[in-house]
Amino acid sequence: MYQNSHIPELRWTAPVAIRIGRRSSEFIHGPAEAIDYLEHRWPFLDSPCLDAAKHRCVEAMNSLTHIEVARKAFISAAAEAKVLA
């Protein structure tokens, strides 16, 4: 839906460290990776920051918003979910 194989993967200026459950910290490097975590591994299924982060990441991947806006939205969602490392 939002991934295009011929477009190089976008990366944030700095990765975001998260820790879900008892696993060690993991680093999220860009909006495509963030969406995968938000949709498949996130501890909450629904929240305002989660929805905003998904939206901003898709926008960034489609060049509709700056990639760092998506990063900030992902950080907000991680803080809300208490997984920000």
Side-chain angles (χ1 to χ4, degrees):
M1 175 175 129
Y2 43 75
Q3 290 185 343
N4 194 330
S5 60
H6 70 275
I7 297 174
E9 186 172 338
L10 298 172
R11 293 175 71 89
W12 293 325
T13 56
V16 177
I18 62 169
R19 184 173 179 188
I20 298 175
R22 295 180 183 252
R23 295 175 173 233
S24 43
S25 293
E26 300 176 71
F27 295 92
I28 310 306
H29 298 91
E33 191 175 1
I35 288 171
D36 183 53
Y37 274 76
L38 293 166
E39 290 185 346
H40 303 290
R41 299 189 54 206
W42 217 241
F44 298 123
L45 298 177
D46 189 38
S47 72
C49 289
L50 172 67
D51 293 339
K54 286 182 187 179
H55 188 73
R56 295 293 173 248
C57 286
V58 170
E59 286 181 338
M61 292 173 64
N62 289 299
S63 301
L64 298 173
T65 194
H66 194 277
I67 191 168
E68 294 304 313
V69 171
R71 182 178 182 274
K72 288 178 184 177
F74 181 73
I75 290 170
S76 294
E80 177 185 62
K82 299 183 181 357
V83 298
L84 195 59

